[in-house]
Amino acid sequence: MIRLLLFAPLLFVGSRALAFQLDELTKYIDSHQEEYVQTLREWVAVESDSSDVQKRSEVERMMNITAEKLKAMGGNVELVDIGLQELPSGNSIPLPKVVTAQFGSDPAKHTVCVYGHVDVQPAKKEDGWATEPYNLTDLNGNLYGRGASDNKAPVLAWIHTVEAYQALGIELPVNVKFIIEGMEETGSNGLDAMIISQNDTFFADVDYIIISDCGWLSRRPALTYGTRGNCYFFAEVEGPTQDLHSGVYGGTVIEPMTDLIGILDTLISPGGKILIPGIPEAVAPLSDEEWKMYQDIEFDVENYKQKIGVSHLMYSSKVDLLAHRWRYPTVTIHGIEGAFSAPGTKTVIPAKVIGKFSIRQVPNMDPAVVEKQVTDYLNAVFGRRKSPNKLKVTMVIGAKPWLADTQHPLYDAGKEAVKKVFKVDPDMIREGGTIPIAKTFQDVTRKSIIMLPIGGFDDGLHSQNEKMSRYNYIEGTKLFVAYLHEVGQIKRD
């Protein structure tokens, strides 16, 4: 009893000191939000589209801007060469260098590594944007621009977090490392090899890895503990040696487009059931614990339908929708290359068409196995058509799913940080999309990983009118500030 009485005042004083520091940091962030928005405006103005080799210089410029920003803060910064990218023409061009940085090297502290990317998806005003995609536009509290949410604002929020500690002379509670790339939107080319090569150097003293390349499910803040993988396929059907006139040759040749549509139609049923043998059977059943977790998540089905502009969904219950969005695989047909798609009419029989589709995969599914299952199945289906045309199936992306332990102290720290900043408990969610690097980090470094999102549920990632709300950007920075403190309190094993 005496020992408890002696220690109680010390605990109380410590909590007061923390509250004062957090308050000072949040006030600093509030007072610098216009500066933060201006920096985001400058970053969004860089058309760092990694899918377009003609804009590779813009991606490289974005990497240099990022490196200079971190150098100006006193970080130990490197631009790491990750090799060459081979183009379809057979030529090769350099991959954008990866930026690494370090702030602090105190062996008594935990070391966190923040991952992010500063490349973006393609965007044009004529695609349906209400504003110029590379001119950050502040409307009704939202900051519209390509890459605003995915992933430039979250990267900047982490940088501003370190800046805030520095500006107030408050010691960082953990050592902070950054690894920022410029090829995430096209599969993180070269990054896996870099992580492997630097596992015993850059990552040697890293305790935890933080990824903020994701978003909330609703207006309630969230912590993300899982993502689906992605196997992306090309199904190429080749027939005549050249395109043909449908009036002259229609009815006499077996058309590649007809074959392609025929085999694509066998991938998934109208009700959403994957028809490829072996894939549905690989999925782990939904446990009672997961069902209960999904029940407690804030998710408005009607609002979800309204947001995406549909009258009906594949499933009607919240649990079914979330489960099929996060922890069941799905097939999506994305498009057909070689088909006529321009406005107007063109009576052509394409000589070669390439169907593009992907399978979002979940834990218990392996890309190499999925590749064989899909290839064997489509070849069998095509064979039954008795077509003289040629089919070639290629898997061009094989990204693995990722799943974390929600009982890890990283997630406890996340819950505490969310409570401090937003005064609510976070939703525990998974992502339907793919962040391939999470699984690489997990497999190679063996470090614990958390996804700590600040993006909004309606940010429109990869879509027209992508935005980051000013609220999420500024309050998200405060969340990161609080989170570093909470991670600093994690006891060492």
Side-chain angles (χ1 to χ4, degrees):
M1 180 63 71
I2 293 174
R3 291 181 65 189
L4 287 174
L5 289 172
L6 287 172
F7 272 93
L10 294 176
L11 292 171
F12 179 71
V13 171
S15 64
R16 286 186 62 185
L18 164 63
F20 171 75
Q21 286 190 322
L22 183 58
D23 185 53
E24 290 297 299
L25 286 160
T26 56
K27 284 180 180 177
Y28 178 88
I29 291 165
D30 281 333
S31 67
H32 285 75
Q33 61 176 288
E34 293 306 324
E35 176 188 321
Y36 297 164
V37 171
Q38 178 57 30
T39 305
L40 179 59
R41 179 172 288 108
E42 293 166 3
W43 281 33
V44 166
V46 182
E47 298 185 32
S48 49
D49 174 4
S50 56
S51 70
D52 186 350
V53 295
Q54 301 301 318
K55 294 181 179 175
R56 183 55 51 86
S57 62
E58 285 291 276
V59 180
E60 292 169 346
R61 182 161 74 94
M62 189 69 248
M63 303 315 299
N64 287 328
I65 289 171
T66 305
E68 290 304 315
K69 174 73 172 174
L70 293 164
K71 285 179 184 176
M73 295 161 54
N76 181 11
V77 180
E78 288 188 37
L79 281 159
V80 182
D81 188 345
I82 56 171
L84 300 174
Q85 176 185 1
E86 187 174 335
L87 303 178
S89 64
N91 296 327
S92 295
I93 59 173
L95 286 163
K97 291 181 172 63
V98 171
V99 176
T100 64
Q102 180 169 354
F103 295 87
S105 56
D106 186 342
K109 295 179 181 178
H110 293 301
T111 298
V112 302
C113 177
V114 175
Y115 162 83
H117 69 91
V118 289
D119 63 311
V120 300
Q121 285 277 321
K124 296 179 181 178
K125 179 79 181 304
E126 53 266 34
D127 292 339
W129 282 71
T131 62
E132 290 293 339
Y134 294 103
N135 181 13
L136 191 74
T137 306
D138 191 345
L139 291 173
N140 302 318
N142 290 323
L143 305 168
Y144 291 93
R146 175 57 89 220
S149 183
D150 184 16
N151 182 231
K152 291 180 178 180
V155 169
L156 278 171
W158 274 113
I159 291 173
H160 298 327
T161 293
V162 175
E163 281 183 318
Y165 274 100
Q166 290 178 331
L168 294 177
I170 300 173
E171 186 177 341
L172 281 168
V174 295
N175 306 311
V176 179
K177 288 188 171 184
F178 287 93
I179 178 167
I180 301 171
E181 66 159 320
M183 290 295 288
E184 191 274 344
E185 298 293 3
T186 55
S188 295
N189 316 48
L191 191 59
D192 284 10
M194 178 205 158
I195 292 169
I196 292 169
S197 69
Q198 298 213 11
N199 189 35
D200 295 328
T201 52
F202 181 81
F203 293 100
D205 60 346
V206 170
D207 297 293
Y208 311 120
I209 295 172
I210 308 169
I211 299 172
S212 297
D213 187 16
C214 44
W216 300 349
L217 180 66
S218 65
R219 298 192 186 281
R220 179 182 291 272
L223 303 178
T224 305
Y225 66 94
T227 63
R228 291 192 292 189
N230 189 17
C231 290
Y232 200 109
F233 289 89
F234 289 173
E236 177 185 299
V237 180
E238 186 173 7
T241 57
Q242 62 187 29
D243 290 352
L244 302 174
H245 189 297
S246 66
V248 177
Y249 296 98
T252 66
V253 298
I254 298 173
E255 300 181 12
M257 181 77 83
T258 304
D259 279 340
L260 178 61
I261 291 172
I263 65 173
L264 292 178
D265 189 46
T266 69
L267 293 173
I268 190 167
S269 76
K273 180 182 178 182
I274 295 177
L275 302 176
I276 305 162
I279 289 181
E281 293 80 4
V283 181
L286 185 68
S287 68
D288 292 341
E289 183 180 349
E290 278 185 287
W291 187 91
K292 175 64 167 60
M293 186 181 293
Y294 291 173
Q295 269 302 111
D296 295 339
I297 289 172
E298 183 177 309
F299 181 73
D300 187 324
V301 174
E302 290 304 314
N303 183 63
Y304 183 68
K305 288 196 294 187
Q306 183 180 354
K307 184 184 74 169
I308 58 179
V310 299
S311 59
H312 292 83
L313 296 166
M314 199 79 79
Y315 307 95
S316 57
S317 78
K318 176 176 76 172
V319 171
D320 282 338
L321 282 169
L322 292 178
H324 283 86
R325 178 174 169 176
W326 293 341
R327 55 101 61 217
Y328 288 119
T330 190
V331 169
T332 300
I333 298 171
H334 301 289
I336 298 177
E337 182 180 336
F340 174 65
S341 60
T345 60
K346 184 179 181 182
T347 55
V348 65
I349 298 172
K352 181 173 74 173
V353 285
I354 303 172
K356 301 180 180 184
F357 65 93
S358 67
I359 300 177
R360 296 286 176 176
Q361 48 166 331
V362 296
N364 297 357
M365 295 173 65
D366 181 83
V369 175
V370 172
E371 180 179 21
K372 186 176 189 307
Q373 290 168 330
V374 170
T375 303
D376 289 351
Y377 176 69
L378 286 184
N379 279 323
V381 170
F382 188 75
R384 290 195 290 271
R385 296 182 66 87
K386 307 295 184 184
S387 173
N389 296 324
K390 293 176 285 187
L391 170 68
K392 182 171 73 172
V393 180
T394 309
M395 188 175 80
V396 294
I397 296 175
K400 294 180 179 179
W402 165 78
L403 196 63
D405 176 10
T406 58
Q407 304 305 309
H408 191 280
L410 274 181
Y411 283 86
D412 294 333
K415 292 173 185 176
E416 288 301 314
V418 168
K419 286 180 193 175
K420 280 188 169 63
V421 175
F422 296 101
K423 314 304 180 189
V424 296
D425 290 317
D427 275 333
M428 302 297 293
I429 67 173
R430 288 163 74 162
E431 277 278 343
T434 305
I435 304 178
I437 206 62
K439 183 63 174 173
T440 301
F441 280 136
Q442 190 175 61
D443 290 347
V444 175
T445 71
R446 303 294 179 181
K447 312 295 184 182
S448 296
I449 302 168
I450 186 172
M451 291 193 183
L452 186 62
I454 62 170
F457 71 98
D458 57 350
D459 279 356
L461 311 184
H462 295 193
S463 188
Q464 297 92 338
N465 304 317
E466 178 186 349
K467 60 88 178 170
M468 167 66 79
S469 75
R470 181 183 285 256
Y471 174 83
N472 282 56
Y473 185 27
I474 301 306
E475 299 304 306
T477 305
K478 296 174 187 176
L479 173 64
F480 293 165
V481 162
Y483 188 65
L484 289 188
H485 171 81
E486 295 299 332
V487 173
Q489 305 306 301
I490 296 175
K491 293 180 180 179
R492 294 191 179 274
D493 293 335

